[in-house]
């Protein structure tokens, strides 16, 4: 069959830079994707090393390879590494590389923010590991249950390093999620609706909302934990009247969606690999998309099944048990969709399909054991045993790691222009399956025999010896398979068989350009008549039958995007300095904040052009406005989590407010000032759109003055309250809520000052009209300020009136 592939012609674009400097300054989504994947693999090897230390410690009774304290640090850092530093970054990296290509985009919507999100991820990981050099690493598990994570039980700074590092990693993830959402909403090729995007892109799109609405709950939890450890508050300290159960609610409201954050993109990879290697269209494509959406919603309704043993009401446990079992239905539908796609297909058992088949078989086992745990009486028996460890790994390794391997074998020719070795890949697959089965299946039996998780050794007369020996041997086999995979990557990148532009005869747009793709990805795109545009071109079906496929191209794309800038690296470095200050002294925080303002000013000082190809009549939001609306949704969850925690404290611990009195007269005046600032900024936006420059400047200055007055009033109130942060739980809640809100107001003032400077510069240049770039920034700044106003109204009611 003759293949028709449309390649890019970007000879006019500047030559790509080379060397280390090119990687430090890149904003190309493809290079950033490679950086994510390479860094994730490096952390993966470290995590595997930790796992092998644990398996060696447990290979027989009474081993003394690790002390109890060392073992606690090893298993805690293993879990954190695999979740936050390997699995998520790997999937984000693959999506970074593939999604813009699949939707026909030049790059991500915010290329600089894309680079910044990578550097925050890298610095967050390095900061986390630096804890080993400062007294000890995290030793309370990747979930850090309170009060075990408080200084009384974990006196060194490992947990504090963990909280600050996770703040950086969370910021990185949220930036990435915003970027993916805006890119897919605004930069798809003409003719490609959201429903017509390739399944991997759809899964990434939905997954981005999971990240946006799950991570803020964790951010709120670690903020309160940091305050408990660093400043002596008592949100989670029962000895001082706190409530540890709040930690579990907030953490697992993030933690269970996190499982699906790691699974949804894996399902997307499966839905790309299985049809191509079955030579059939995906069975039940629309159903697949609907089920992905159902999982997204249900994933937020099952967090409580991690808390069946905490004494929650029976009705709550019953509801959570029902949703836990219900979420198995959309997952099962996808398994049957993949099997139906393969049924009767022309199967090509290359490594991508082998790993896909391995996922179907082994992930199903993990899913079934998850449904079993939805039965409350069984969970009471299996909770905190090795049964849970087996289930978690059965889901995440079989579901995520197998899919990652399938995706890398599938897209490696696109990234490098070379194949990974099929022979080595087949050997790796079978070693992975055998090693996985020997490692984790015995853990189910160990859990049922009563072996608790997190135990660093065991007595020889408990009946666990043989199963632990088999599990440890399986671990060594599994680790060997991973080393073989790394060998295959390195060897094939240098001397693998050349692949060509579309070696798999695939149908989505990433295969419509050269391998590897050039900077800018495309010069033109094929017409999009279905979700399989290259299939349509190859077979000249439907509306394109009368058109010469080789000549059928879309109009030219937007200009080639910016290729490199060093500002994201230095902005991330400034944020890292602030993080170091949070672990040391306020002086370092001030230095970091000052450097951050300088680097952001340099970043924003350049020419900012709205990169949308055309203005759509009736479109309300600019692409920057869309990004801000999405960010506001995430921040709403953050404040919602803080407020929910405080309301929980007031309901269950009525004495938490003893000794704290808040007057309302002055706060009412301060609230009025902030509300008036919202009115001013609204009319400033209206004036800008109508090109009334004088009114715009006047109203924007008025907004800034009112915002500064509000902050000044809040500072005055702080100094006249008569109590401090640690006076009571109510005092801690007051300072935490109002303090975070004040920080948001300060950030909003900085944004408005930037808009004032930018618009003044345009006025001096005499452009005579609102520029698209500044218009988008004005929209974003206005939406943010309205959000700050709305949050304060809720905070005022909760803090002063309830």
């Amino acid at each position: 069959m003759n293949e028709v592939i449309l390649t890019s012609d970007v000879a006019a674009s500047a030559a790509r830079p080379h060397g280390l400097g090119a990687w430090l300054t890149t904003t190309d989504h493809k290079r950033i994707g490679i950086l994510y994947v390479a860094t994730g693999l490096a952390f993966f090897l470290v995590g595997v090393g930790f796992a092998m230390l644990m398996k060696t410690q447990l290979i027989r009774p009474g081993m003394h390879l690790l002390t109890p304290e060392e073992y606690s640090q090893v298993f805690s850092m293993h879990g954190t590494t695999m979740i936050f530093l390997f699995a998520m970054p790997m999937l984000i990296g693959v999506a970074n590389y593939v999604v813009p290509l699949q939707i026909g985009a030049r790059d991500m919507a915010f290329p600089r923010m894309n680079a910044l999100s990578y550097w925050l991820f890298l610095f967050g990981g390095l900061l986390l590991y630096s804890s080993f050099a400062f007294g000890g690493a995290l030793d309370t598990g990747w979930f850090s249950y309170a009060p075990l994570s408080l200084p009384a039980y974990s006196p060194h700074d490992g947990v504090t390093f963990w909280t600050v590092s996770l703040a950086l990693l969370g910021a990185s993830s949220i930036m990435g999620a915003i970027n993916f959402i805006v890119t897919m909403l605004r930069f798809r090729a003409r003719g490609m609706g959201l429903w017509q995007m390739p399944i991997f892109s759809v899964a990434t799109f939905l997954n981005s909302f999971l990240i946006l609405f799950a991570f803020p709950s964790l951010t709120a939890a670690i903020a309160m934990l940091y305050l408990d450890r660093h400043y002596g508050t008592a949100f989670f300290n029962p000895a001082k009247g706190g409530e540890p159960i709040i930690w579990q609610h907030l953490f697992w409201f993030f933690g269970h969606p996190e499982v699906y954050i790691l699974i949804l993109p894996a399902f997307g990879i499966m839905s790309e690999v299985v049809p191509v290697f079955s030579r059939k269209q995906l069975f039940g494509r629309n159903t697949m998309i609907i089920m992905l959406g159902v999982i997204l919603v249900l994933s937020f309704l099952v967090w409580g099944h991690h808390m069946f043993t905490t004494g929650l009401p029976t009705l709550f446990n019953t509801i959570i048990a029902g949703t836990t079992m219900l979420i198995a239905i959309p997952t099962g539908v996808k398994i049957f969709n993949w099997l139906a796609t393969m049924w009767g297909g022309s199967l090509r058992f290359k490594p991508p399909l082998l790993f896909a088949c391995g996922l179907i078989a082994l992930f199903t086992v993990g899913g079934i054991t998850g449904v079993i745990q939805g039965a409350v009486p069984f969970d009471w028996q299996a909770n905190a045993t090795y049964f849970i460890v087996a289930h978690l790994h059965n889901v995440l390794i079989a579901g995520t790691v197998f899919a990652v391997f399938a995706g890398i074998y599938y897209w490696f020719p696109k990234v490098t222009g070379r194949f990974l070795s099929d022979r080595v890949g087949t050997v790796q697959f079978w070693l992975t399956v055998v090693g996985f089965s020997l490692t984790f299946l015995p853990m189910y039996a160990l859990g049922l025999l009563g072996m608790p998780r997190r135990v660093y050794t065991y007595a020889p007369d408990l009946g666990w010896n043989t199963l632990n020996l088999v599990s440890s041997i399986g671990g060594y086999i599994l680790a060997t398979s991973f080393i073989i995979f790394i060998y295959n990557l390195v060897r094939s990148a240098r001397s693998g068989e050349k692949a060509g532009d579309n070696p798999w005869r695939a149908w989505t747009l990433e295969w419509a350009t050269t391998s590897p793709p050039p900077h800018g990805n495309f010069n033109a795109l094929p017409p999009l008549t279905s979700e399989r545009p290259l299939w349509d071109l190859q077979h000249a079906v439907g509306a394109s039958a009368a058109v010469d496929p080789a000549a059928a191209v879309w109009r030219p794309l937007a200009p080639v995007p910016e290729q490199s800038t060093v500002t994201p690296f230095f902005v991330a470095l400034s944020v890292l300095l602030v993080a170091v200050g949070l672990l040391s002294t306020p002086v370092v925080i001030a230095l970091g904040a000052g450097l951050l303002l300088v680097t952001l000013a340099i970043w924003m000082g350049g020419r900012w052009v709205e990169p949308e190809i055309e203005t759509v009549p009736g479109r309300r939001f600019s692409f920057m406005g869309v990004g801000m609306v999405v960010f506001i949704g995430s921040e709403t969850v953050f404040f919602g989590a803080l407020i929910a925690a405080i309301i929980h404290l007031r309901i269950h611990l009525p004495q938490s407010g003893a000794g704290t009195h808040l007057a309302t007269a002055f706060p009412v005046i301060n609230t009025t000032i902030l509300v008036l600032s919202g009115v001013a900024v609204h009319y400033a936006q209206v004036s800008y759109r109508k090109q009334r420059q004088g009114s715009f400047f006047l109203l924007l200055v008025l907004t800034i003055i009112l915002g500064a007055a509000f902050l000044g009033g809040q500072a005055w109130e702080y100094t006249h309250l008569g109590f401090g942060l640690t006076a009571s739980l109510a005092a801690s809640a007051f300072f935490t809520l109002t303090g975070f809100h004040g920080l948001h107001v300060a950030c909003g003032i900085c944004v408005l000052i930037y808009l004032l400077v930018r618009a003044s510069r345009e006025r001096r240049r005499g452009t005579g009209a609102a520029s698209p770039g500044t218009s988008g920034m004005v929209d974003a700044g206005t939406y943010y300020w309205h959000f700050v106003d709305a949050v304060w109204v809720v905070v005022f009611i909760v803090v002063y009136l309830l």
Side-chain angles (χ1 to χ4, degrees):
M1 182 186 300
N2 293 327
E3 298 183 14
V4 179
I5 303 296
L6 299 177
T7 59
S8 301
D9 180 15
V10 290
S13 64
R16 295 178 64 177
H18 299 281
L20 179 61
W23 294 97
L24 289 175
T25 62
T26 186
T27 58
D28 188 324
H29 73 96
K30 298 181 292 298
R31 286 195 165 192
I32 293 171
I34 293 171
L35 286 171
Y36 264 113
V37 170
T39 308
L41 285 174
F43 281 121
F44 176 64
L45 292 178
V46 176
V48 170
F50 287 149
M52 296 319 301
L53 286 174
M54 289 187 287
K55 299 314 295 180
T56 303
Q57 173 71 17
L58 297 174
I59 197 169
R60 64 180 179 84
M63 286 286 287
H64 298 288
L65 176 66
L66 299 172
T67 66
E69 293 77 14
E70 291 169 343
Y71 189 85
S72 294
Q73 293 183 38
V74 165
F75 83 73
S76 301
M77 292 295 286
H78 165 77
T80 301
T81 298
M82 290 308 203
I83 296 291
F84 295 104
L85 301 179
F86 162 63
M88 282 190 65
M90 281 294 293
L91 294 169
I92 291 173
V94 172
N96 240 301
Y97 197 102
V98 173
V99 166
L101 291 167
Q102 284 196 330
I103 66 173
R106 286 288 203 184
D107 206 315
M108 298 287 278
F110 305 103
R112 293 187 180 191
M113 190 169 78
N114 198 27
L116 176 59
S117 67
Y118 167 75
W119 293 115
L120 288 178
F121 152 62
L122 176 62
F123 292 158
L126 295 178
L127 183 65
L128 177 66
Y129 271 85
S130 68
S131 61
F132 280 108
F134 292 94
L138 177 73
D139 58 359
T140 53
W142 75 279
F143 34 73
S144 287
Y145 281 160
L148 298 179
S149 53
L150 297 177
Y153 301 96
S154 183
H156 59 76
D157 289 331
V159 176
T160 310
F161 271 83
W162 181 78
T163 60
V164 176
S165 299
L166 255 60
L168 297 185
L169 297 173
S172 167
S173 299
I174 289 173
M175 286 181 185
I178 294 171
N179 221 343
F180 281 122
I181 290 172
V182 177
T183 300
M184 285 182 268
L185 284 176
R186 285 299 170 87
F187 296 97
R188 303 187 310 275
R190 178 188 290 177
M192 180 183 288
L194 285 173
W195 199 269
Q196 284 73 43
M197 290 191 303
I199 295 292
F200 178 66
S201 293
V202 173
T204 301
F205 180 73
L206 296 174
N207 195 55
S208 298
F209 286 98
L210 265 179
I211 293 173
L212 274 178
F213 299 136
F215 257 94
S217 179
L218 175 64
T219 305
I222 61 176
M224 289 189 284
L225 179 58
Y226 173 84
L227 291 173
D228 276 6
R229 289 185 60 89
H230 212 67
Y231 290 101
T233 58
F235 291 111
F236 307 126
N237 190 347
K240 297 182 179 180
E243 181 65 277
I245 198 69
I246 295 176
W247 171 266
Q248 292 198 39
H249 277 296
L250 293 179
F251 181 86
W252 288 118
F253 190 78
F254 151 80
H256 203 83
E258 170 67 12
V259 173
Y260 294 98
I261 288 171
L262 304 179
I263 291 298
L264 286 190
F267 288 165
I269 293 172
M270 286 285 293
S271 301
E272 300 292 335
V273 168
V274 170
V276 169
F277 288 88
S278 301
R279 305 313 301 165
K280 282 179 60 182
Q281 190 169 4
L282 180 66
F283 179 85
R285 185 181 191 276
N286 293 343
T287 304
M288 177 73 73
I289 296 175
I290 292 172
M291 291 301 103
L292 290 172
V294 171
I295 288 177
L296 185 151
V297 174
L298 290 178
S299 67
F300 286 102
L301 304 178
V302 296
W303 85 93
H305 71 216
H306 296 274
M307 303 169 61
F308 284 152
T309 60
T310 60
L312 295 174
T314 301
L315 178 60
F316 178 84
N317 286 344
T318 302
I319 295 172
I320 293 297
T323 57
T324 299
M325 296 180 183
L326 185 64
I327 204 170
I329 295 175
T331 304
V333 168
K334 289 189 291 298
I335 297 293
F336 284 110
N337 281 7
W338 296 325
L339 291 175
T341 303
M342 296 169 65
W343 186 267
S346 179
L347 302 181
R348 296 181 291 169
F349 284 102
K350 299 286 187 178
L353 186 60
L354 289 176
F355 279 103
C357 292
L359 183 150
I360 292 173
L362 296 175
F363 177 78
T364 301
V365 175
I368 292 172
T369 58
V371 175
I372 293 173
Q373 289 167 220
V376 178
F378 179 84
D379 187 78
W380 284 347
Q381 301 301 315
N383 192 277
T385 71
Y386 258 72
F387 191 95
I388 306 298
V389 178
H391 162 71
L392 176 66
H393 288 82
N394 207 157
V395 170
L396 294 185
I397 292 183
T400 301
V401 177
F402 273 64
V404 166
F405 286 152
I408 290 177
Y409 276 96
Y410 178 58
W411 280 303
F412 189 83
K414 174 54 54 181
V415 176
T416 66
R418 297 180 183 274
F419 287 110
L420 285 167
S421 169
D422 283 353
R423 179 179 300 178
V424 176
T426 302
V427 171
Q428 183 220 336
F429 166 74
W430 287 112
L431 284 176
T432 304
V433 170
V434 172
F436 173 89
S437 301
L438 290 177
T439 302
F440 299 109
L441 296 185
M443 290 185 182
Y444 287 113
L446 284 167
L448 295 176
L449 289 173
M451 183 174 178
R453 61 195 302 187
R454 301 183 293 276
V455 62
Y456 91 104
T457 190
Y458 53 94
D461 57 349
L462 297 175
W464 304 341
N465 302 17
T466 302
L467 289 171
N468 272 305
L469 175 63
V470 172
S471 179
S472 294
I473 293 172
Y476 282 106
I477 296 173
L478 190 59
T480 301
S481 74
F482 297 151
I483 293 173
I484 290 174
F485 172 70
I486 299 298
Y487 162 77
N488 200 2
L489 283 177
V490 175
R491 173 184 173 275
S492 299
R494 293 181 176 182
S495 57
E497 178 187 352
K498 292 186 177 180
D501 292 338
N502 188 6
W504 309 123
R505 291 185 294 148
W507 307 308
T508 46
L509 285 182
E510 74 266 32
W511 303 102
T513 184
T514 57
S515 298
H519 183 66
N521 299 340
F522 306 95
N523 190 46
L525 288 171
L528 302 178
T529 56
S530 75
E531 66 272 9
R532 299 192 299 171
L534 298 191
W535 172 277
D536 295 342
L537 280 180
Q538 292 165 8
H539 296 274
V541 297
S544 61
V547 181
D548 177 12
V553 295
W554 186 40
R555 55 157 172 67
L557 299 175
V560 176
E562 177 185 46
Q563 188 152 335
S564 62
T565 174
V566 76
T567 49
F569 176 82
F570 282 106
V571 170
L573 204 59
S574 304
V575 175
L576 177 62
L577 189 58
V578 172
V580 171
L582 291 172
L583 295 167
S584 55
T585 172
V587 175
V588 180
I589 297 177
L591 290 174
L595 181 60
L596 180 61
L597 289 175
V598 172
T599 54
L600 284 175
I602 295 172
W603 178 330
M604 305 299 286
R607 183 169 177 262
W608 195 305
V609 178
E610 184 100 354
E612 291 183 289
I613 297 168
E614 58 187 347
T615 301
V616 178
R619 175 175 286 177
R620 180 170 179 79
F621 298 115
S622 66
F623 88 103
M624 293 182 190
V626 172
M628 181 55 70
V629 169
V630 173
F631 173 70
I632 287 172
S634 181
E635 288 296 276
T636 300
V637 177
F638 171 75
F639 278 104
L642 287 176
I643 291 170
I646 290 167
I647 291 176
H648 179 98
L649 285 171
R650 292 188 178 180
I651 292 174
H652 294 276
L653 301 171
Q655 74 281 9
S656 64
T660 301
H661 174 71
L662 294 172
T664 58
F666 181 78
V668 167
I669 297 173
N670 221 23
T671 301
T672 304
I673 291 173
L674 192 62
V675 171
L676 290 175
S677 74
V679 176
V681 80
H682 167 73
Y683 284 104
Q685 181 190 30
V686 171
S687 298
Y688 187 84
R689 288 176 174 175
K690 294 181 178 181
Q691 299 183 31
R692 297 173 180 170
Q693 294 184 351
S695 298
F696 169 73
F697 285 111
L698 178 63
L699 290 167
L700 198 60
V701 170
L702 178 61
T703 304
I704 293 170
I705 292 173
L706 290 173
F710 172 83
L711 286 181
Q714 195 172 61
W716 182 90
E717 184 182 16
Y718 280 0
T719 60
H720 291 75
L721 284 173
F723 58 83
L725 176 66
T726 59
S728 67
L729 279 174
S732 300
F734 167 79
F735 280 105
T736 300
L737 259 183
T738 58
F740 275 113
H741 177 266
L743 177 63
H744 282 68
V745 173
C747 291
I749 290 174
C750 291
V751 171
L752 296 182
I753 291 174
Y754 165 73
L755 290 178
L756 192 66
V757 172
R758 182 186 175 96
S760 299
R761 186 172 58 186
E762 286 184 357
R763 188 178 188 179
R764 288 195 301 270
R765 290 175 178 174
T767 56
S771 75
T774 304
S775 179
M777 290 295 296
V778 169
D779 291 343
T782 303
Y783 304 148
Y784 181 82
W785 197 261
H786 289 324
F787 164 71
V788 167
D789 284 356
V791 167
W792 177 253
V793 172
V794 178
V795 169
F796 176 80
I797 293 172
V798 171
V799 171
Y800 294 96
L801 302 183
L802 291 184

